[in-house]
Amino acid sequence: MSGTSADGINVALVEIGGEQSPRTKLLGHAEYRYPPKVRAAVLAAMNAEHARVADLARLSFLLGELYANAVEATERRFRLKADLVGCHGQTLYHQGAPQMFLGRKIAATWQSGEAAILAARLGVPVVSDFRPADMAAGGKGAPLVPYLDYLLFRDPKIGRIVQNIGGIANLTAIPAGAVAEHVVAFDTGPGNMVIDAVTAALFGRPFDRGGKLAASGTVLNSVLQQILRSKFFRAKPPKTAGREEFGREFVREFLRRCGRARKQDVIATATALTARSIADAVRRFVLSRSGRKHPFQEMILSGGGARNATLVAMLSEQFAPFGLQLRFSDEFGLPSEAKEAVAFAVLAYETWHHRPSNLPSATGAKRPAVLGKISYA
């Protein structure tokens, strides 16, 4: 997995079994940073107004080589050999809602990273390009990780909201005793993406380690309130987001609104944007739908944002009135940084067995769909 933060490649080695409901066991995981020039090329290609076709083609094949290197290195480290690989690829563009293009309304997505390279290098089949099948069925192509959330975190007595905070933040709300059709899932807004970009712009650091910069700042509430009134946050699910919504242009406008405020205050405000947008989404689109008081007891955090102590403290403050206990996916045997890679291992397993693995209640698809394309060795 390589996510919208575009900071590197996460590899998970997962033992999977079972027919009706896959059982998973994480055997090992590792993370590999993109070389700086590769990360710069990926970020430049994301949602780009202009790009050379030759460079995009070369980038796709280069990413295929880097993914293969990452899998091989992880196999050597844990002395294991994969039978099947699921590769999400690097999202360069995602537009889940149809827009006019050459006289037709078209939805589109593009994940770069040539899977044939992985299959040839690793000698096993590779499942890739998961999102288009859901979009062809009328869905937004995202979020797809809720399938794993439902498998791992459903409970007959405990209602849980599983909140992943990667580049983009997304939630999966699983009522107690829920069947798949009852699951609500959608992107809540920026996760680490805006925090990272603002930290890089103001401090020259790739991210705010542990939230220490944010902890030394004061939130600019007037700026925060203005931004939270924007269209994305008010839109009802299903909805999905990416750099198209919260990338370069958004960060430029965010910094303009912050004006000459202290740098630490700007980082604190970016962090509060993630926390408040998550809390607002839960209040508006999850708790208000249930018709019952406090239908959820736990919020389970995962993703890189779960390592940001200031962000976690802000979330804890936001959810205290609702009686939601904050927990971490690590407590369930799933390290935060490995979760999305595990998810695409499971999706690949389901595709290999010809089974659908989208949740139409999450993506808005008209029907379940078998996801992905298979490249053979």
Side-chain angles (χ1 to χ4, degrees):
M1 176 68 191
S2 48
T4 47
S5 292
D7 47 7
I9 304 164
N10 291 96
V11 180
L13 293 171
V14 191
E15 185 176 80
I16 307 176
E19 290 299 319
Q20 299 304 316
S21 182
R23 298 182 302 277
T24 65
K25 180 182 179 183
L26 180 62
L27 304 176
H29 67 94
E31 181 176 355
Y32 305 91
R33 293 277 171 181
Y34 280 146
K37 288 184 179 180
V38 174
R39 184 169 193 257
V42 168
L43 291 174
M46 285 181 171
N47 198 29
E49 289 294 327
H50 303 283
R52 294 180 67 236
V53 173
D55 290 341
L56 294 175
R58 291 165 180 153
L59 180 61
S60 180
F61 276 68
L62 173 61
L63 289 174
E65 295 285 357
L66 294 179
Y67 293 151
N69 290 346
V71 173
E72 287 178 331
T74 309
E75 289 177 330
R76 288 194 300 270
R77 177 176 172 182
F78 293 98
R79 298 181 181 180
L80 295 168
K81 174 63 179 170
D83 298 312
L84 178 71
V85 172
C87 180
H88 174 271
Q90 180 66 64
T91 299
L92 296 185
Y93 184 75
H94 185 80
Q95 175 213 312
Q99 295 180 12
M100 288 301 297
F101 178 72
L102 302 181
R104 278 205 171 186
K105 278 198 167 183
I106 298 293
T109 190
W110 187 11
Q111 280 69 50
S112 184
E114 181 50 63
I117 299 290
L118 279 94
R121 283 273 307 276
L122 302 173
V124 298
V126 176
V127 184
S128 64
D129 210 13
F130 292 86
R131 300 190 185 278
D134 179 81
M135 297 173 75
K140 295 184 179 298
L144 298 182
V145 175
Y147 185 78
L148 177 73
D149 292 337
Y150 174 68
L151 291 178
L152 294 187
F153 299 114
R154 59 183 169 175
D155 188 275
K157 297 181 180 179
I158 301 173
R160 289 172 170 153
I161 299 171
V162 185
Q163 181 70 55
N164 185 68
I165 309 174
I168 292 295
N170 51 74
L171 68 76
T172 307
I174 312 168
V179 296
E181 291 76 14
H182 296 158
V183 173
V184 175
F186 57 93
D187 289 349
T188 59
N192 305 312
M193 182 183 296
V194 175
I195 304 170
D196 292 351
V198 172
T199 302
L202 298 182
F203 289 92
R205 304 178 191 177
F207 59 96
D208 180 13
R209 186 178 297 275
K212 291 180 180 179
L213 293 171
S216 64
T218 301
V219 175
L220 305 171
N221 281 307
S222 61
V223 174
L224 186 59
Q225 289 166 8
Q226 291 171 16
I227 293 173
L228 287 171
R229 286 196 288 266
S230 65
K231 182 179 177 181
F232 177 85
F233 299 114
R234 292 184 284 107
K236 295 179 180 180
K239 58 181 178 177
T240 182
R243 288 191 178 271
E244 296 73 26
E245 288 77 20
F246 299 108
R248 286 183 293 267
E249 295 81 4
F250 181 89
V251 170
R252 192 179 303 122
E253 176 62 16
F254 178 85
L255 290 171
R256 187 193 68 78
R257 287 176 185 265
C258 291
R260 297 183 179 181
R262 290 175 64 240
K263 292 181 180 181
Q264 290 87 345
D265 295 348
V266 178
I267 306 297
T269 305
T271 306
L273 173 62
T274 295
R276 276 284 303 277
S277 59
I278 290 171
D280 286 356
V282 170
R283 280 193 292 264
R284 288 184 184 183
F285 306 123
V286 178
L287 300 184
S288 63
R289 291 172 56 127
S290 66
R292 293 185 293 147
K293 188 176 181 180
H294 303 318
F296 296 92
Q297 292 76 45
E298 296 179 349
M299 171 172 275
I300 301 170
L301 299 180
S302 63
R307 307 299 188 204
N308 184 322
T310 302
L311 176 56
V312 172
M314 288 180 175
L315 286 170
S316 182
E317 181 182 357
Q318 289 287 326
F319 289 115
F322 299 99
L324 279 174
Q325 178 188 1
L326 289 191
R327 302 183 66 183
F328 297 88
S329 66
D330 305 61
E331 299 174 41
F332 298 81
L334 183 59
S336 297
E337 59 273 19
K339 180 185 169 186
E340 288 192 307
V342 171
F344 285 95
V346 172
L347 296 184
Y349 178 86
E350 292 294 73
T351 298
W352 187 253
H353 289 87
H354 312 288
R355 293 195 291 261
S357 55
N358 62 332
L359 289 183
S361 62
T363 66
K366 295 180 176 65
R367 58 175 173 78
V370 178
L371 304 179
K373 300 162 187 173
I374 302 175
S375 299
Y376 292 93

